[in-house]
Amino acid sequence: MKTAQLPDGERVPVLGQGTWRMGENTRAHKDEVAALRLGIELGMTLIDTAEMYGEGGAEKVVADAIEDQRDRVFVVTKVYPHNASRTELPKACERSLKRLRIDAIDLYLLHWRERYTCLMETVGAFEKLRTTGKIKRWGGLEFRCR
């Protein structure tokens, strides 16, 4: 699998597995876990999920898929914009960590930015989570001034 190097030197696969629409139907859980596990076996060890996918259900699917192989997988999850404040971001992170059953998120992203969210507050909350070891890296799709 071809990889890309992150600014901190970590190498991640250029092709990952997305989980949008997973975790929405309990009857599909077993098949979704199997699909992610097959992807991992084939070298797609970057898995992208979000707290909004299945209202946390996709993160639970990921947890079952990476059980006993956490060290092989790079986990990306995303936070809702309405949870991007100084007080709500740590709570959202803890919920995601609990659903994923991991100690630290490899890359924690702001899913999108809304105008009412104070960017400096969001950045500060991400940095605090990083320095406390809850996340290893952070970012967002829209970290630009408006």
Side-chain angles (χ1 to χ4, degrees):
M1 174 67 65
K2 189 174 180 179
T3 62
Q5 187 170 347
L6 299 178
D8 65 1
E10 178 80 18
R11 297 199 70 82
V12 297
V14 295
L15 180 62
Q17 300 186 79
T19 61
W20 182 56
R21 304 299 307 250
M22 288 188 176
E24 295 178 1
N25 181 339
T26 55
R27 288 176 285 152
H29 184 88
K30 186 177 176 182
D31 291 337
E32 292 168 348
V33 169
L36 290 176
R37 284 185 171 262
L38 177 59
I40 293 167
E41 287 176 32
L42 295 173
M44 290 191 299
T45 55
L46 185 147
I47 299 179
D48 175 83
T49 192
E51 69 174 340
M52 75 175 281
Y53 299 167
E55 289 303 318
E59 289 178 327
K60 292 177 181 178
V61 171
V62 171
D64 288 343
I66 68 173
E67 189 173 42
D68 300 324
Q69 54 184 340
R70 169 64 175 115
D71 58 325
R72 295 183 61 203
V73 180
F74 189 91
V75 177
V76 180
T77 194
K78 298 177 285 299
V79 62
Y80 271 122
H82 63 263
N83 285 332
S85 70
R86 180 182 313 110
T87 57
E88 295 306 312
L89 191 62
K91 294 175 192 175
C93 182
E94 286 298 329
R95 289 189 299 269
S96 287
L97 288 168
K98 185 176 180 180
R99 285 188 295 265
L100 289 162
R101 299 193 314 266
I102 60 177
D103 296 326
I105 296 165
D106 296 310
L107 178 59
Y108 199 30
L109 300 175
L110 177 61
H111 212 139
W112 69 87
R113 186 166 172 232
E114 292 182 344
R115 291 178 188 246
Y116 64 82
T117 305
C118 174
L119 181 58
M120 291 311 297
E121 188 174 327
T122 302
V123 168
F126 272 134
E127 270 301 295
K128 187 170 183 182
L129 288 169
R130 191 185 60 76
T131 60
T132 59
K134 299 290 183 178
I135 65 174
K136 295 179 183 175
R137 297 156 199 86
W138 60 266
L141 300 175
E142 281 191 60
F143 277 131
R144 66 177 185 265
C145 296
R146 292 185 180 195

